[in-house]
Amino acid sequence: MINMTKILLIGNGAREHAIAEALVKGGAEICAFMAKMNPGISALCNKNVELGKLTNFAAITTFGNKNKVEFAVVGPEAPLAMGIVDALKAQGIPTVGPTIECAQLESSKIFARSLLKKYHIESNIQFETFKKMESIPEFVEKIGKENVVVKPDGLTGGKGVKVWGDHLHSEKEIYDYCQEIFDQNGRVVIEEKLEGEEFTYICFVDGKHVVGTPIVQDNKRAYNGDKGPNTGGMGSISFSDHLLPFITAEDVEYARNQLEKVIQAVYNETGVEYKGFLYGQFMKSNKGIKVVEFNIRFGDPEAMNILPILSSNFVEICRQILAGTLKNEIIFDTKATVCKYLVPDGYPINPKANSEIIIDEKALKEIGAKIYYASVSEEEGKIYTSTSRAIAVLGIADSIDEAEKIAEKATQYIQGDLFHRTDIGTQAVIDKRTQHMNLILQK
Ligand code: AMP
Ligand code: GLY
């Protein structure tokens, strides 16, 4: 029997399901350490999985060493921010992801913004950091209350940011929210509000080289028409030219160059090279392309737009990230993708958990749709919702229009107390975003 490379995957969402699929496609055998059973990942591992806390590094190391893995790949940010890469490496398991020092790019918004400022990286915006209330009113006065965005310093699972006009409507609300953060012993970043169109740019980074992947746009609001509360992301799109109608190749090269400067700055600051995936969240505004935030991992849902159309070998890319030999020759299919999340009724405020989901796999296959399991549980062969996003459906096609039709049709073959955004990837929404961008650029 040929001894295949074995790789340890850490995480259990749809993003990790997409990572698992790319590793298997790259010729690896995988095993997975998960907080909750993901039926899709489990099937790709031939059930070689272990359940436990993703921050239980001792248990993860034991599982990895038992399986004699060549290396590990980490999906989510929480274990990265707690130093999983350092812990596994110390026990002989090379791990694709940033070390604890480099992980501060996501785990501390103060670290990220201050780094951009110190190294004069142009895509930074005006900001100030605070440990107590005293000097906040002065800064709010300086930038104008209608330009205020308040962020807690640390990881908040995407739910900590409050923006003037969306979540904050008076000076009192600004100060109350800052006080709430101080009361939890947090620190506050106040930064200027950007207006424009956001895009996700995820890069492979080997310490020196920064190699881009297709540009993706996520949709954060829960309901059609960008209404309702913010979510982890209801669905995302990418175009066959790997750009967006309002994001040019020059914009992308500018963003990539900014990320290269960030990687160099992280090294200068910490003495450690950033290796892994780097997610740049950018806004194209009338002041140019600006950093909204960094994530130290693949995006979810963005991983589903990117990895399934990767035609280069993902296992090789991971090896090159670890070795510092990443080449600028990573190839993606010239295909458009539309990903839509099916989420439990009531999500994100009052999600209906433990409700059965029935999937017509044969019909999905017939229409060429792919599915990725997120937060579901499996009992006696049946799939149930939990309190978070349940299943992502993906359409891949030559045009965004066709990809959208596949994804939309796929939602009909997944039954349960679920809803999704029917507008993601439609021409109407794309036109709306393009018009918004044009309006902003004319300002
Ligand atoms: P973050 O966790 O920093 O990505 O923030 C979550 C969301 O808040 C972003 O995706 C934006 O939609 C919004 N946001 C964050 N920072 C800003 C900003 N400076 N200006 C406008 N919107 C922002
Ligand atoms: N799509 C947003 C995130 O991965 O954080």
Side-chain angles (χ1 to χ4, degrees):
M1 211 174 86
I2 305 166
N3 240 345
M4 261 210 275
T5 289
K6 206 185 259 182
I7 297 168
L8 168 63
L9 173 66
I10 294 131
N12 45 269
R15 165 184 49 210
E16 289 75 23
H17 188 175
I19 293 174
E21 184 184 64
L23 291 169
V24 170
K25 187 177 156 203
E29 196 181 320
I30 56 170
C31 56
F33 194 96
M34 307 194 272
K36 265 175 58 179
M37 184 61 79
N38 178 314
I41 297 175
S42 174
L44 287 164
C45 294
N46 295 319
K47 298 196 177 152
N48 186 2
V49 300
E50 186 151 312
L51 297 185
K53 274 203 172 132
L54 301 188
T55 47
N56 186 348
F57 299 158
I60 297 171
T61 306
T62 305
F63 180 63
N65 280 330
K66 191 179 83 186
N67 277 285
K68 299 190 172 60
V69 295
E70 180 188 325
F71 61 87
V73 180
V74 186
E77 66 276 14
L80 290 166
M82 286 182 68
I84 190 170
V85 173
D86 312 77
L88 265 60
K89 210 167 134 190
Q91 300 301 323
I93 304 175
T95 303
V96 180
T99 61
I100 194 164
E101 296 91 345
C102 300
Q104 291 177 90
L105 265 186
E106 178 172 355
S107 67
S108 168
K109 294 195 194 289
I110 295 181
F111 175 87
R113 284 272 174 234
S114 308
L115 187 87
L116 293 172
K117 184 175 176 191
K118 181 170 173 186
Y119 291 88
H120 308 292
I121 296 173
E122 301 83 353
S123 48
N124 202 17
I125 54 176
Q126 253 199 101
F127 75 100
E128 203 69 64
T129 65
F130 301 94
K131 282 190 198 145
K132 45 185 187 297
M133 216 55 178
E134 271 150 40
S135 30
I136 292 184
E138 197 185 322
F139 186 67
V140 170
E141 173 102 14
K142 185 179 154 197
I143 64 169
K145 64 177 187 300
E146 61 291 338
N147 292 318
V148 163
V149 176
V150 180
K151 300 182 174 185
D153 179 45
L155 293 182
T156 54
K159 291 176 187 87
V161 175
K162 293 206 174 178
V163 179
W164 179 270
D166 284 349
H167 321 92
L168 304 168
H169 305 91
S170 67
E171 269 184 65
K172 183 174 182 304
E173 283 182 9
I174 296 177
Y175 302 136
D176 285 353
Y177 186 48
C178 293
Q179 191 56 54
E180 197 184 312
I181 298 169
F182 293 136
D183 288 347
Q184 291 161 9
N185 292 322
R187 290 187 296 169
V188 166
V189 179
I190 297 186
E191 62 184 38
E192 78 183 279
K193 177 180 167 177
L194 297 163
E195 266 188 279
E197 281 296 321
E198 285 184 80
F199 63 96
T200 301
Y201 190 33
I202 297 174
C203 291
F204 298 120
V205 183
D206 71 352
K208 293 185 183 67
H209 309 103
V210 175
V211 183
T213 69
I215 300 294
V216 182
Q217 191 172 47
D218 187 13
N219 292 267
K220 287 206 159 69
R221 297 299 190 110
Y223 316 132
N224 279 359
D226 295 324
K227 302 247 165 34
N230 271 335
T231 68
M234 291 297 289
S236 46
I237 63 170
S238 72
F239 286 71
S240 60
D241 61 0
H242 306 153
L243 303 171
L244 297 173
F246 39 84
I247 304 293
T248 65
E250 290 73 36
D251 293 336
V252 175
E253 184 45 30
Y254 176 81
R256 204 195 58 77
N257 181 265
Q258 295 290 296
L259 293 178
E260 226 164 49
K261 290 184 181 176
V262 170
I263 292 306
Q264 186 59 46
V266 168
Y267 179 71
N268 293 348
E269 206 54 25
T270 65
V272 186
E273 287 188 335
Y274 188 106
K275 285 173 186 272
F277 316 119
L278 177 60
Y279 171 136
Q281 181 75 27
F282 290 96
M283 177 107 61
K284 184 167 175 173
S285 74
N286 61 351
K287 295 176 181 164
I289 289 174
K290 299 291 177 189
V291 168
V292 175
E293 68 161 359
F294 299 114
N295 294 316
I296 52 176
R297 49 165 175 80
F298 254 99
D300 187 344
E302 291 94 332
M304 275 78 82
N305 301 92
I306 296 171
L307 291 170
I309 61 161
L310 174 64
S311 98
S312 301
N313 186 317
F314 188 53
V315 175
E316 270 313 310
I317 293 171
C318 290
R319 286 197 182 112
Q320 290 171 5
I321 288 172
L322 290 168
T325 55
L326 206 52
K327 306 266 180 332
N328 205 0
E329 291 156 7
I330 295 173
I331 298 166
F332 291 88
D333 300 334
T334 49
K335 295 280 185 192
T337 65
V338 173
C339 179
K340 299 193 187 210
Y341 254 119
L342 290 144
V343 301
D345 283 343
Y347 173 83
I349 295 157
N350 189 19
K352 190 172 175 192
N354 303 316
S355 171
E356 193 184 346
I357 304 172
I358 294 166
I359 303 168
D360 186 342
E361 289 191 20
K362 189 166 160 269
L364 288 167
K365 209 169 181 175
E366 269 167 24
I367 61 163
K370 302 183 71 122
I371 68 165
Y372 296 89
Y373 290 95
S375 201
V376 292
S377 59
E378 189 179 16
E379 275 162 53
E380 293 168 6
K382 290 184 177 176
I383 306 279
Y384 297 89
T385 57
S386 81
T387 56
S388 202
R389 296 176 294 181
I391 295 178
V393 295
L394 178 72
I396 304 176
D398 290 330
S399 71
I400 200 96
D401 182 49
E402 291 166 86
E404 194 277 333
K405 287 200 170 73
I406 295 170
E408 193 50 43
K409 184 128 190 116
T411 64
Q412 295 171 13
Y413 299 128
I414 300 175
Q415 298 297 322
D417 296 325
L418 301 162
F419 78 96
H420 69 282
R421 274 185 63 168
T422 55
D423 64 345
I424 292 171
T426 59
Q427 197 57 45
V429 172
I430 295 163
D431 289 345
K432 190 177 114 184
R433 305 249 191 271
T434 308
Q435 281 156 16
H436 178 234
M437 188 80 260
N438 289 338
L439 206 71
I440 294 285
L441 295 180
Q442 280 161 19
K443 270 193 189 171

